[in-house]
Amino acid sequence: MKANLNHLKTCGYLSLGLGMGLSSISAFASDTEASKNNAEKKEKPMNVLFIMSDDMRTDWNCYGTPQMHTPNFDKLASQGVLFHNNYCQYPLSGPSRTSLLSGHRPTSTRIYDNSPWWGADHPEWPSLPMYFKQNGYTTYGVGKVFHAGIEDTDAFDFGGKPRARNKGVGDFRPSYVSEADHALWVEQRGGGKRLARSIQNAANYQSHRPAVQGDGHGRNSDRWYESDTEYKSETTNTDIAIGYIKEAAQKDEPFFIACGYSKPHTPFVAPQEFFDLYDINDIPLPPDFASLPMNPFEFPKGAIRETNADLFINRPATAEDAKDFIRAYWACISYVDWNVGRLIAALDESGMRENTIIVFCVDHGFQLGEKGKWSKAGSLWEEGTKVPLLIVDPRAKGNGQASKQIVENLDIYPTLIELCGLPENKDLEGTSIAKLLDNPNAEWDKPAYTVWNNHGKGVTGVSVRVNRWRYAEYFGAGAGAMLIDEENDPHELVNLVRNPQYADLVAKLHELAIKYVEGQRELTKEEAEAQGLLK
């Protein structure tokens, strides 16, 4: 405004007495500048700030956990659309991120563990950031976006990580796993007789604060502690992402900035200040808490794995230790929340907030003692599959509202394409949820699917989530099905699959489940024999 008035003075308009008072000139200049700015905003493509976290379930204050300290997530939710029923496609990082970032179902990628790189089998599938790069965006990447070792290095103009593994799945063909093979599989992971021995020795196991430091699984995963110096990558990566925001602000080109957080992935380590937010006496245990993994009555055996993969590995959980772990998990969420607040503040300071779409998503959830399970691996329950999704598009009419429609992580890729006006990628298997940003309660009738492959021999479980109902079907050693009324049984304790009242619903959901995993599920013994796979 001051610059415009100076320009008017330079041109002599203020001294020529053209019948316009200073206030009139100011109003005229202000209207002209506003019109120009509005036109530029409409013409400029939308930027994307894509934020992703690991192992984070919907334990936010705005999602209904009042003990949580998540002020930045809560504030963003008040500015955008919060999705209450968003589901991942696989409860493990590598396959889940592959699905989200490639835009294809796990049954299409055939990636069911953390090792394969989808580009080896499908180089024609551009990743989400690569698609934006191909369409004129400058792309930046920092932190855990793709899974470790299987990065899409070329997708980022700045940042990103080198890809360490380039091997794909190849010719994956499902096969048969016998009861004996399954028992051996469990034994190799510390279950069966080994678990019984572990329980006997549990008193001698210093579990949650071992001297050994480091990342990974086993005893290095099964721990928590406060540290202001270790696992500071979240802070460091945020600093880098803030630098990218400042750099992008100096350029006249659209950007796609991806910032990934590893927390609250195990081990549950965060600075002391975030632990201090929570009183151990305020930490609730789930109603179905158990010391060891166990199924509720009349649920299929395959619904709960016999061993935990992340916490309380081959040992029972005490109530005291369980509360310690939950408190540490929440502290890690608050640590991510604090860093996200720093990111958004930097975006605000850059002056690009009104032209930037913000997405916060998560690869999968986590069970914190529900039914004795302390992991995500194998979970086809709400806690393992339902994950936060928050989209803030300054143009959306539904901002400040929440949507309870059933959506999937798979829908994020096509949604961002539509919101940014990029050419449609018809190869994607998700569905754009852009219309739910304008009307969060718009008509929507699309199930969410999650699958699990327990032995590497084919899909052993598939869940179908529709309004009110969760249906899951298991194959192989833990075969069976479950139907849960999520409205009236939020803790998932009653299996209605054999209730004749719901026979038609079960038949319909069974049909959807079987069709989704067609050609990918574990084979029965008879099917394997028919294919000549058994000798």
Side-chain angles (χ1 to χ4, degrees):
M1 180 63 236
K2 185 176 180 180
N4 285 339
L5 288 176
N6 288 338
H7 176 69
L8 288 172
K9 288 179 180 178
T10 302
C11 295
Y13 292 147
L14 296 184
S15 62
L16 291 178
L18 299 181
M20 299 175 64
L22 182 60
S23 60
S24 299
I25 295 174
S26 298
F28 171 77
S30 178
D31 290 343
T32 302
E33 184 175 344
S35 299
K36 180 181 179 182
N37 289 341
N38 289 334
E40 288 179 351
K41 287 177 184 176
K42 290 180 180 179
E43 293 174 2
K44 282 185 177 180
M46 295 298 290
N47 304 307
V48 176
L49 177 57
F50 179 85
I51 312 170
M52 195 170 187
S53 188
D54 197 333
D55 282 28
M56 187 183 291
R57 49 197 249 165
T58 55
D59 287 3
W60 296 1
N61 191 298
C62 58
Y63 270 123
T65 306
Q67 303 95 327
M68 289 300 297
H69 294 269
T70 50
N72 295 297
F73 289 144
D74 300 340
K75 184 177 180 180
L76 276 178
S78 71
Q79 298 168 340
V81 176
L82 184 71
F83 290 87
H84 277 259
N85 291 299
N86 176 58
Y87 295 87
C88 71
Q89 275 52 76
Y90 200 90
L92 190 68
S93 291
S96 176
R97 291 167 186 261
T98 289
S99 177
L100 190 161
L101 294 165
S102 75
H104 291 81
R105 301 169 178 168
T107 50
S108 297
T109 68
R110 300 169 303 147
I111 290 178
Y112 301 117
D113 62 56
N114 286 333
S115 298
W117 162 239
W118 90 73
D121 296 318
H122 295 284
E124 75 280 10
W125 292 352
S127 67
L128 173 59
M130 176 60 82
Y131 197 75
F132 274 78
K133 180 178 179 178
Q134 291 173 346
N135 284 279
Y137 278 67
T138 301
T139 55
Y140 306 79
V142 60
K144 185 176 181 181
V145 180
F146 296 86
H147 191 65
I150 52 172
E151 310 286 337
D152 189 7
T153 310
D154 297 334
F156 297 109
D157 294 305
F158 299 95
K161 300 177 182 178
R163 185 163 58 252
R165 297 191 295 273
N166 289 284
K167 186 177 181 180
V169 175
D171 187 18
F172 174 80
R173 296 184 182 183
S175 57
Y176 168 65
V177 177
S178 68
E179 292 282 351
D181 289 336
H182 174 71
L184 178 61
W185 183 92
V186 173
E187 186 85 9
Q188 289 172 339
R189 285 155 181 78
K193 295 179 181 178
R194 289 179 63 187
L195 179 57
R197 290 195 298 270
S198 297
I199 294 172
Q200 292 175 358
N201 297 327
N204 299 321
Y205 183 54
Q206 299 298 317
S207 60
H208 58 288
R209 286 178 180 269
V212 177
Q213 308 298 319
D215 207 344
H217 287 278
R219 292 195 179 193
N220 284 337
S221 173
D222 194 1
R223 61 197 174 94
W224 66 264
Y225 56 90
E226 308 91 336
S227 175
D228 293 331
T229 58
E230 296 185 59
Y231 293 93
K232 295 285 284 185
S233 59
E234 312 299 59
T235 302
T236 301
N237 290 334
T238 303
D239 292 340
I240 295 172
I242 288 173
Y244 288 154
I245 290 172
K246 291 179 179 179
E247 181 180 337
Q250 304 303 315
K251 301 178 179 179
D252 188 23
E253 54 194 28
F255 66 77
F256 182 104
I257 296 176
C259 180
Y261 295 106
S262 63
K263 294 301 172 188
H265 194 288
T266 59
F268 296 159
V269 180
Q272 178 73 53
E273 62 187 285
F274 299 104
F275 278 81
D276 292 342
L277 294 172
Y278 301 99
D279 185 334
I280 193 68
N281 297 312
D282 295 332
I283 304 297
L285 290 178
D288 53 351
F289 169 76
S291 295
L292 292 167
M294 59 181 62
N295 270 314
F297 181 62
E298 291 190 340
F299 276 76
K301 183 180 177 181
I304 293 288
R305 297 173 92 199
E306 293 92 327
T307 59
N308 280 313
D310 291 290
L311 304 172
F312 295 104
I313 300 173
N314 305 332
R315 65 188 181 90
T318 66
E320 181 182 7
D321 272 0
K323 288 189 175 186
D324 276 341
F325 269 120
I326 294 172
R327 175 175 178 248
Y329 180 86
W330 285 2
C332 289
I333 290 180
S334 292
Y335 182 31
V336 175
D337 175 87
W338 175 72
N339 278 292
V340 168
R342 296 172 59 218
L343 265 185
I344 303 307
L347 184 64
D348 287 338
E349 292 170 6
S350 74
M352 299 185 294
R353 177 70 179 272
E354 292 186 4
N355 208 58
T356 301
I357 297 166
I358 302 169
V359 176
F360 184 92
C361 60
V362 176
D363 53 4
H364 49 71
F366 202 94
Q367 285 186 230
L368 290 172
E370 292 88 1
K371 302 167 183 67
K373 183 174 177 61
W374 293 85
S375 180
K376 64 276 187 173
S379 177
L380 296 181
W381 305 81
E382 283 287 284
E383 296 89 356
T385 61
K386 184 162 74 171
V387 289
L389 177 60
L390 174 59
I391 301 178
V392 184
D393 183 335
R395 307 163 300 177
K397 298 176 183 178
N399 285 338
Q401 301 179 48
S403 176
K404 293 188 177 181
Q405 303 291 33
I406 304 294
V407 298
E408 304 178 290
N409 274 353
L410 199 60
D411 300 330
I412 295 172
Y413 192 156
T415 299
L416 287 175
I417 285 179
E418 180 175 350
L419 293 178
C420 293
L422 303 187
E424 182 182 1
N425 183 345
K426 295 182 179 180
D427 196 36
L428 301 179
E429 294 182 291
T431 303
S432 172
I433 57 175
K435 76 173 187 178
L436 296 179
L437 298 181
D438 282 333
N439 180 5
N441 298 312
E443 185 176 345
W444 189 261
D445 186 20
K446 179 176 176 287
Y449 296 89
T450 308
V451 299
W452 178 253
N453 179 338
N454 212 39
H455 309 106
K457 303 294 185 181
V459 171
T460 49
V462 53
S463 68
V464 186
R465 185 63 164 88
V466 295
N467 291 328
R468 181 178 172 181
W469 304 101
R470 166 172 292 279
Y471 175 84
E473 190 158 342
Y474 299 88
F475 314 103
M482 64 185 191
L483 175 69
I484 300 167
D485 181 349
E486 295 293 344
E487 287 186 5
N488 298 304
D489 182 22
H491 298 297
E492 303 181 310
L493 300 174
V494 180
N495 186 4
L496 299 171
V497 77
R498 295 185 181 88
N499 188 323
Q501 179 181 349
Y502 304 111
D504 291 344
L505 175 64
V506 168
K508 178 181 178 181
L509 295 175
H510 164 75
E511 183 179 351
L512 292 176
I514 292 299
K515 182 178 181 181
Y516 192 83
V517 298
E518 185 177 5
Q520 291 293 302
R521 63 171 175 79
E522 269 190 15
L523 303 179
T524 64
K525 183 177 180 180
E526 293 72 21
E527 289 170 335
E529 287 175 341
Q531 295 183 28
L533 298 177
L534 297 183
K535 296 181 181 180

